Amino acid sequence: MDAILLSIRYLFVDADDMRNEGKSPGDDKKEIEESDGEVIDWKRQAEMLNRLLEKEKQEHDEKVMVLENKKEETSRIHEEEIGCLKTKMKEVTDKHKHVFDQLKEKVECPVCLEIPRSGPVHVCPNGHIVCKQCKTGSCPTCRVCMGDGKSLLALTVIDNIEHNCKFVDCEEIFAVDKLEGHEKICKRRTVTCPHNNCSEKIALSKLLDHLNKETCSLDSRPKVIGSSSKSGRARFILTDNLNSDFIWQVRTFTYEDNGFAVITEKVDNLFYITMVMFESEIECSKYQIKMEVQEWLSTRQDSEVSFRFCGKPCSIDREKKNLKYHGLTVNTIGMEKILRKSKESSFTVSFIFSEK
């Protein structure tokens, strides 16, 4: 059928064209047959290439699967090894902790129940130790004569174990050579309430709560000083005779997460106004305050009478009796001028913070 159609097709070919091209109908037929053969060859080669690609893809997928299996196996082995190492590390850590706990028990003073931090550590002839503060003529454990024996082994233990911070609320532990430095700046160290009518000793971390819940402070909560304004003010009212001594309730503030209190009192003929910072001397040295006492409802610009102080805030770690000497001091004559110009015998303490 194909041959008949091909013959019909060549009947319509222009004879002149065939002469000009120098080809006969048989030649074209031959070319077409050759082209069809080439197409068949190309198809055969394409099919062969597809089979090769599929085979390579299959081999590749198999290799990937093998690698993934190896990876999973390696990860599992690593996890098991890590688990074993963690278990062994915990065992070693627990063992060391047990040994250290036993050593601590052996060097603990049986009288004060404290572990000495320094020598000498006294020891009786039977090997019982006692700290230098608690040493008496007889051993507190076996009652024999203590004598002058000293334990070098106990001293070695003390120098190589970690000690608890002495403040009750603090749970941190340190080597003996770092312990003293921590306790000077411990956030839970014991401080004395800065109000002069209160002698309570409390943890520094609870000082603001104490001041704001007791009668020591006029504030129920500290006023927050913004980092943009860096300034604040507090009003104090004189409810007694100007010639009498007087102690005001403290005013509390916070600035950059640090607690502050304005402590004000009158002793003899002097008014003492101090900004106390609830931090160590080192932290206080990072700040500068400008503090001014003036009439109530006046500003620095329009105040007729004012007295100023510039310096660092006073650390809460200073002796309480000396706090008043680290701020602004104004005599009675000067304060009388301020009170005369204010309502209700009141005065304002304004301040500005800055960082050094």
Side-chain angles (χ1 to χ4, degrees):
M1 186 68 175
D2 294 336
I4 295 171
L5 292 173
L6 189 61
S7 300
I8 295 171
R9 175 185 175 189
Y10 285 114
L11 291 175
F12 293 91
V13 176
D14 186 77
D16 293 335
D17 290 341
M18 286 192 294
R19 282 195 300 268
N20 292 334
E21 294 177 3
K23 293 181 181 180
S24 64
D27 293 334
D28 286 340
K29 179 180 179 182
K30 186 178 180 182
E31 287 182 1
I32 292 173
E33 289 174 349
E34 290 176 355
S35 297
D36 291 341
E38 290 179 357
V39 170
I40 293 171
D41 289 339
W42 290 342
K43 286 182 178 180
R44 190 181 298 112
Q45 292 178 12
E47 291 173 357
M48 188 181 298
L49 287 173
N50 284 334
R51 285 195 297 271
L52 288 173
L53 288 173
E54 288 177 2
K55 183 179 180 181
E56 289 182 0
K57 182 177 182 299
Q58 184 177 357
E59 292 175 353
H60 173 75
D61 292 342
E62 290 174 354
K63 290 179 180 178
V64 169
M65 186 176 295
V66 171
L67 290 174
E68 287 180 350
N69 291 335
K70 286 184 177 179
K71 180 181 177 183
E72 291 177 1
E73 181 67 14
T74 303
S75 298
R76 184 184 62 79
I77 293 172
H78 285 172
E79 287 177 1
E80 290 178 356
E81 290 177 349
I82 291 171
C84 291
L85 288 173
K86 285 182 177 180
T87 302
K88 290 180 180 178
M89 187 178 295
K90 186 177 184 304
E91 291 174 355
V92 172
T93 303
D94 291 343
K95 183 178 180 180
H96 285 178
K97 185 178 183 301
H98 178 68
V99 171
F100 276 114
D101 288 342
Q102 286 187 319
L103 291 173
K104 283 183 177 181
E105 289 178 7
K106 297 302 180 183
V107 297
E108 183 181 86
C109 175
V111 180
C112 63
L113 303 180
E114 296 287 343
I115 297 174
R117 298 185 176 186
S118 62
V121 180
H122 300 278
V123 61
C124 79
N126 292 327
H128 303 124
I129 70 163
V130 64
C131 71
K132 56 187 176 184
Q133 287 83 7
C134 299
K135 178 181 179 289
T136 58
S138 61
C139 173
T141 303
C142 64
R143 303 302 176 187
V144 302
C145 179
M146 277 298 299
D148 296 323
K150 299 177 180 64
S151 174
L152 296 178
L153 178 60
L155 189 59
T156 302
V157 173
I158 289 169
D159 288 339
N160 288 277
I161 63 173
E162 291 185 318
H163 296 254
N164 294 321
C165 174
K166 69 180 180 181
F167 299 113
V168 177
D169 293 334
C170 182
E171 298 180 352
E172 296 191 60
I173 57 175
F174 296 88
V176 68
D177 59 332
K178 296 181 180 179
L179 194 60
E180 185 178 354
H182 160 76
E183 290 176 346
K184 288 181 179 180
I185 60 172
C186 178
K187 295 294 184 181
R188 294 170 178 81
R189 65 187 181 274
T190 302
V191 296
T192 305
C193 175
H195 190 262
N196 277 299
N197 285 341
C198 179
S199 58
E200 187 168 345
K201 293 184 180 296
I202 45 187
L204 177 62
S205 57
K206 299 178 180 178
L207 180 56
L208 270 176
D209 290 336
H210 163 79
L211 288 170
N212 297 137
K213 289 179 180 177
E214 302 296 331
T215 58
C216 303
S217 174
L218 193 63
D219 306 303
S220 59
R221 65 174 61 87
K223 182 179 179 181
V224 179
I225 304 300
S227 57
S228 56
S229 67
K230 300 184 179 182
S231 62
R233 57 193 296 149
R235 182 189 185 191
F236 296 89
I237 300 175
L238 181 65
T239 58
D240 206 341
N241 190 294
L242 186 62
N243 296 320
S244 303
D245 290 348
F246 196 81
I247 297 173
W248 283 266
Q249 291 174 291
V250 305
R251 306 302 301 271
T252 56
F253 303 87
T254 59
Y255 174 68
E256 294 186 342
D257 296 326
N258 295 305
F260 294 84
V262 178
I263 313 297
T264 309
E265 64 176 305
K266 178 186 176 296
V267 180
D268 296 330
N269 292 319
L270 295 174
F271 286 74
Y272 298 97
I273 305 169
T274 307
M275 177 68 78
V276 178
M277 182 177 179
F278 303 160
E279 279 292 350
S280 64
E281 292 283 357
I282 295 175
E283 290 299 313
C284 289
S285 65
K286 298 176 182 179
Y287 291 88
Q288 186 88 358
I289 59 165
K290 294 180 180 179
M291 189 165 57
E292 182 173 352
V293 59
Q294 59 211 19
E295 314 97 289
W296 170 239
L297 295 178
S298 68
T299 62
R300 178 176 298 181
Q301 291 76 19
D302 59 22
S303 175
E304 295 185 18
V305 182
S306 65
F307 299 92
R308 300 173 185 174
F309 166 84
C310 182
K312 69 176 184 179
C314 177
S315 171
I316 189 67
D317 293 330
R318 286 189 178 273
E319 282 191 78
K320 184 174 179 176
K321 64 180 181 180
N322 294 328
L323 292 179
K324 61 177 176 285
Y325 302 126
H326 296 275
L328 177 62
T329 303
V330 183
N331 61 35
T332 304
I333 296 174
M335 286 300 298
E336 186 177 12
K337 293 179 181 179
I338 292 177
L339 294 171
R340 196 183 301 128
K341 294 180 177 294
S342 304
K343 295 181 180 181
E344 301 178 357
S345 295
S346 61
F347 58 92
T348 296
V349 175
S350 59
F351 52 88
I352 299 176
F353 290 106
S354 60
E355 292 80 31
K356 288 187 178 180

